[in-house]
Amino acid sequence: MRQGISRRELLAAGIALPFSGIARAQLTCGELTVSQTEGPFFKPKSLERTSLLEKNSVGERMVLTGLVLSRQCKPVANALLDFWHSDDMGEYDNQGFSYRGHQFSDPGGRFRLETIVPARYPGRTRHIHVKVQAPRRGVLTTQIYFPGDPGNRRDPLFRDELAMRKVAGEGRFDFVIEA
Ligand code: FE
């Protein structure tokens, strides 16, 4: 026999509220996002842009959104996020700047990246490289993964805590950095 709403159900309902990003952040943002190798294909001086889509972009479009948070769970405004990833064939553009771009988090610490789903390449599961830096602080270099990708099991670099969540068809990832 059920009587009223359990605490667990209340918590679950809370997580579904519009402020869920903040509710979740308060549960999880004590620990810094783990860093990972930059890999061989980073290039400085990417363009500032939130969409990496181009006229000739093929591949499945995707959106990655999230927050940049401090260890104290405060949104970090004006944090630099510099993204780079392979194209739909698993190639990096080392001559130019395709699928490379940086942006700054908004006053609420939010970012939004529009791009294509990168392909796997030999030895690597699907991933997006990123550098995240609060104003006047050190740089976090890491990689974001795709949950459930069959390549994840075979890639020793893959980490569950670096996998984006899928929310309403979009990828979601919150960074916790020194700020
Ligand atoms: Fe890579």
Side-chain angles (χ1 to χ4, degrees):
M1 187 75 176
R2 303 192 43 173
Q3 301 193 340
I5 300 171
S6 73
R7 183 167 178 278
R8 191 165 161 191
E9 283 168 321
L10 278 175
L11 283 173
I15 283 165
L17 288 172
F19 297 107
S20 63
I22 292 172
R24 199 187 77 85
Q26 282 168 351
L27 296 173
T28 60
C29 60
E31 282 186 43
L32 295 174
T33 300
V34 296
S35 65
Q36 291 213 304
T37 174
E38 168 181 295
F41 302 120
F42 174 69
K43 277 177 70 172
K45 300 182 180 154
S46 67
L47 294 172
E48 181 176 350
R49 52 185 179 171
T50 59
S51 175
L52 307 184
L53 296 174
E54 292 172 13
K55 279 200 304 285
N56 57 352
S57 281
V58 285
E60 187 188 342
R61 291 180 177 211
M62 64 165 282
V63 172
L64 176 66
T65 63
L67 293 169
V68 182
L69 298 166
S70 71
R71 233 194 247 266
Q72 294 75 33
C73 307
K74 296 223 172 70
V76 182
N78 227 18
L80 170 71
L81 299 112
D82 197 352
F83 295 100
W84 73 104
H85 65 77
S86 70
D87 66 12
D88 65 302
M89 301 295 284
E91 306 279 350
Y92 286 84
D93 183 2
N94 296 314
Q95 269 66 57
F97 286 89
S98 290
Y99 305 117
R100 300 174 185 274
H102 70 272
Q103 59 178 285
F104 296 90
S105 58
D106 77 5
R110 288 175 291 259
F111 71 92
R112 184 175 195 276
L113 175 72
E114 193 177 5
T115 188
I116 61 159
V117 176
R120 300 179 202 101
Y121 55 89
R124 293 308 319 278
T125 190
R126 233 180 273 286
H127 61 280
I128 294 176
H129 295 268
V130 63
K131 288 179 181 284
V132 189
Q133 182 179 27
R136 299 172 303 279
R137 294 296 183 138
V139 180
L140 165 74
T141 301
T142 192
Q143 305 183 30
I144 304 305
Y145 296 91
F146 292 73
D149 192 282
N152 292 348
R153 275 175 277 121
R154 298 189 296 269
D155 187 337
L157 282 177
F158 172 78
R159 295 193 55 173
D160 257 330
E161 66 264 43
L162 291 174
M164 61 182 78
R165 292 178 299 131
K166 276 281 169 70
V167 180
E170 294 187 352
R172 168 83 198 213
F173 192 86
D174 296 338
F175 295 96
V176 183
I177 61 171
E178 295 288 3

